[in-house]
Amino acid sequence: ETGVTQSPTHLIKTRGQQVTLRCSSQSGHNTVSWYQQALGQGPQFIFQYYREEENGRGNFPPRFSGLQFPNYSSELNVNALELDDSALYLCASSQGTSGGAENEQYFGPGTRLTVT
Amino acid sequence: KNQVEQSPQSLIILEGKNCTLQCNYTVSPFSNLRWYKQDTGRGPVSLTIMTFSENTKSNGRYTATLDADTKQSSLHITASQLSDSASYICVVFYGGATNKLIFGTGTLLAVQP
């Protein structure tokens, strides 16, 4: 176990609805990254939060938004859900953003979102 | 264009056998390369991290190699076990930041008794 937790485990929503996913980072980590993993694909980087500020964003539309709290936990919000948003959403926590080998990313178990 | 390609896409081996997974990348500037194991429906778990100057790194029955000149990495699994059945993902970090990374699409390994 990595110490990174995500909730809920599974979620079913209908097209057009909004969803909020939550991630608690590992103790001592100040950086949270979010990824979308479609079935049979590798994870795709959505965005990263470092000390409550967005610190980089992948190729995702603005209806994907996030938040990081003072305790470094984080939320991923998706508005106007589309069928293609169905995926496993992973968060990963790390200490710092230097990208060196010491900044290991620890992944949570993921939230499986199904949009019908 | 920054890319990470893995081969084979899937692999079936018998328990106790060895196997080698490949990762080729065209990412610059290279920071480090990581191999992850991902069980179905779970988050990835780190196996090895390799920087530019490292050629080989082992973690139990897993041994990763890196050739920074040819931009190739391999993950060798020795004496496979049924629990090794998973997707193995190669991730390349570049530009010296944790938000600059590219995931390969993974190799799905099935170990059969």
Side-chain angles (χ1 to χ4, degrees):
Chain A
E1 297 298 323
T2 63
V4 180
T5 60
Q6 291 186 243
S7 63
T9 306
H10 298 88
L11 200 54
I12 299 175
K13 290 285 190 179
T14 56
R15 195 169 45 183
Q17 285 188 313
Q18 179 267 342
V19 69
T20 298
L21 311 182
R22 295 177 176 83
C23 172
S24 292
S25 58
Q26 185 164 303
S27 178
H29 286 182
N30 55 19
T31 304
V32 173
S33 304
W34 284 92
Y35 301 89
Q36 180 195 67
Q37 186 175 23
L39 199 62
Q41 302 294 317
Q44 298 291 318
F45 174 68
I46 302 175
F47 45 56
Q48 183 184 78
Y49 278 83
Y50 170 63
R51 293 185 175 180
E52 303 179 58
E53 297 287 333
E54 187 176 292
N55 180 51
R57 188 180 184 91
N59 189 26
F60 280 82
R63 59 189 185 84
F64 286 77
S65 62
L67 198 59
Q68 187 177 33
F69 299 99
N71 66 356
Y72 302 131
S73 65
S74 178
E75 286 182 353
L76 164 65
N77 299 291
V78 187
N79 294 322
L81 284 167
E82 301 176 0
L83 296 179
D84 285 348
D85 295 334
S86 296
L88 180 68
Y89 288 84
L90 297 164
C91 80
S93 77
S94 58
Q95 176 57 27
T97 62
S98 70
E102 71 279 6
N103 297 128
E104 174 67 88
Q105 290 203 353
Y106 295 88
F107 285 85
T111 292
R112 171 71 62 188
L113 173 64
T114 302
V115 182
T116 62
Chain B
K1 179 182 178 183
N2 290 325
Q3 280 187 320
V4 177
E5 296 180 343
Q6 292 188 242
S7 63
Q9 189 172 20
S10 62
L11 184 62
I12 300 174
I13 62 173
L14 295 176
E15 186 178 12
K17 298 296 185 182
N18 304 335
C19 66
T20 300
L21 315 179
Q22 300 290 342
C23 174
N24 297 335
Y25 62 92
T26 55
V27 174
S28 181
F30 177 86
S31 180
N32 59 79
L33 184 148
R34 310 180 188 193
W35 282 94
Y36 286 89
K37 176 186 178 187
Q38 186 176 22
D39 293 314
T40 302
R42 307 292 295 274
V45 175
S46 178
L47 295 176
T48 63
I49 301 174
M50 301 184 73
T51 60
F52 185 87
S53 59
E54 296 176 302
N55 300 119
T56 304
K57 184 165 281 189
S58 292
N59 177 5
R61 295 180 296 104
Y62 302 103
T63 299
T65 65
L66 175 66
D67 186 333
D69 292 331
T70 62
K71 298 188 177 181
Q72 296 179 329
S73 177
S74 66
L75 180 69
H76 186 75
I77 304 174
T78 305
S80 61
Q81 301 176 357
L82 298 179
S83 60
D84 292 332
S85 296
S87 181
Y88 291 83
I89 305 175
C90 172
V91 185
V92 180
F93 284 73
Y94 64 99
T98 56
N99 59 12
K100 295 185 184 301
L101 72 166
I102 298 179
F103 285 79
T105 53
T107 292
L108 184 60
L109 174 66
V111 180
Q112 295 184 342

